Amino acid sequence: GQFVAIVGPNGAGKTTLFKTISGIVKPSSGSITFDGVDLLAVPPPQRAHLGIAHVPEGRQVFPSLTVMENLEMGAMTESGRRDWQANIERIFDWLPVLKERRNQFAGTLSGGQQQMLAIARALMSSPRLLLIDEPSVGLSPLLVSQTIAKIGELKQRVGLTVLMAEQNFNQAIRIADRGYIIVHGEIAVAAQSVDELKANDIVKRLYLGGVA
């Protein structure tokens, strides 16, 4: 039920980590366990049925499909089909702009609207773990702040576990319960709270303009 931030510079390995969890990338070694299940023994298409939803970097909505059709594509899990009505009502309450534009082609939405559609599409599968990869990429500073604030509302509205990768440290810690700093493919900092994260010497040097 926590909101956990994975923060690191471009190329640090955040996207690779997420792709490995969802099965797009096969790891050369190690293990991944989700709710007691060895994910490496589960084919990638089946991982969504376990309750893992991946919002990829760059949004990747289906541009030639309408908003509603994109949402329908997200509800392809057993739980998503079961919870269709409740999920669509919750999403339209959370993001009324998607309700207003439900018959509009996704490719004609603004960047911020496409990002929220990508997250809503993932929520349609009724996930227990939501992976959100770099939601601020390609957005203006104002849209980044608005998008992060909307994502932060998920804690109150849905209550699921969220793992978010983000380069923008200050935006990420606005809504995170705790976080990790990844550098060169390795976890350099593992903090149990945002205050602990901000107090870390590596974080001060890389993100807060301090000297360590």
Side-chain angles (χ1 to χ4, degrees):
Q2 289 189 320
F3 203 114
V4 181
I6 304 289
V7 184
N10 192 31
K14 303 184 299 298
T15 294
T16 299
L17 171 64
F18 279 29
K19 287 182 175 180
T20 306
I21 294 171
S22 62
I24 300 171
V25 171
K26 185 177 181 180
S28 56
S29 62
S31 62
I32 308 174
T33 303
F34 176 70
D35 198 22
V37 176
D38 176 10
L39 283 187
L40 302 187
V42 179
Q46 294 302 315
R47 297 186 193 186
H49 293 282
L50 293 178
I52 299 173
H54 184 177
V55 181
E57 181 182 1
R59 300 178 281 279
Q60 297 185 32
V61 297
F62 299 105
S64 61
L65 299 182
T66 66
V67 166
M68 183 61 81
E69 287 168 338
N70 269 269
L71 295 174
E72 289 171 351
M73 291 294 288
M76 57 11 179
T77 61
E78 293 177 8
S79 55
R81 291 191 292 270
R82 180 195 66 213
D83 301 335
W84 161 265
Q85 192 60 43
N87 285 339
I88 201 72
E89 290 175 2
R90 183 184 299 120
I91 285 168
F92 281 165
D93 180 58
W94 175 49
L95 299 169
V97 67
L98 296 186
K99 183 177 182 179
E100 296 167 7
R101 299 173 184 268
R102 59 187 178 275
N103 296 319
Q104 183 173 329
F105 289 120
T108 65
L109 298 175
S110 70
Q113 291 167 350
Q114 288 187 20
Q115 181 63 69
M116 300 318 297
L117 175 57
I119 295 171
R121 182 181 59 190
L123 291 174
M124 288 299 295
S125 68
S126 293
R128 291 184 294 145
L129 171 64
L130 182 64
L131 308 173
I132 306 178
D133 192 4
E134 299 279 13
S136 71
V137 167
L139 301 181
S140 68
L142 176 60
L143 279 178
V144 168
S145 181
Q146 293 174 346
T147 300
I148 294 296
K150 270 296 182 185
I151 294 172
E153 292 177 10
L154 289 175
K155 282 194 288 189
Q156 289 74 37
R157 289 179 173 268
V158 185
L160 79 167
T161 303
V162 177
L163 192 60
M164 183 179 77
E166 181 55 68
Q167 289 187 52
N168 191 321
F169 177 83
N170 289 315
Q171 289 292 344
I173 63 173
R174 281 176 54 197
I175 57 177
D177 295 305
R178 60 188 179 93
Y180 298 87
I181 303 295
I182 186 170
V183 180
H184 302 308
E186 295 184 353
I187 299 297
V189 178
Q192 296 305 308
S193 69
V194 168
D195 288 340
E196 182 182 333
L197 197 61
K198 290 190 290 187
N200 184 274
D201 287 342
I202 294 176
V203 172
K204 289 180 180 176
R205 184 175 70 249
L206 291 178
Y207 297 104
L208 303 180
V211 177

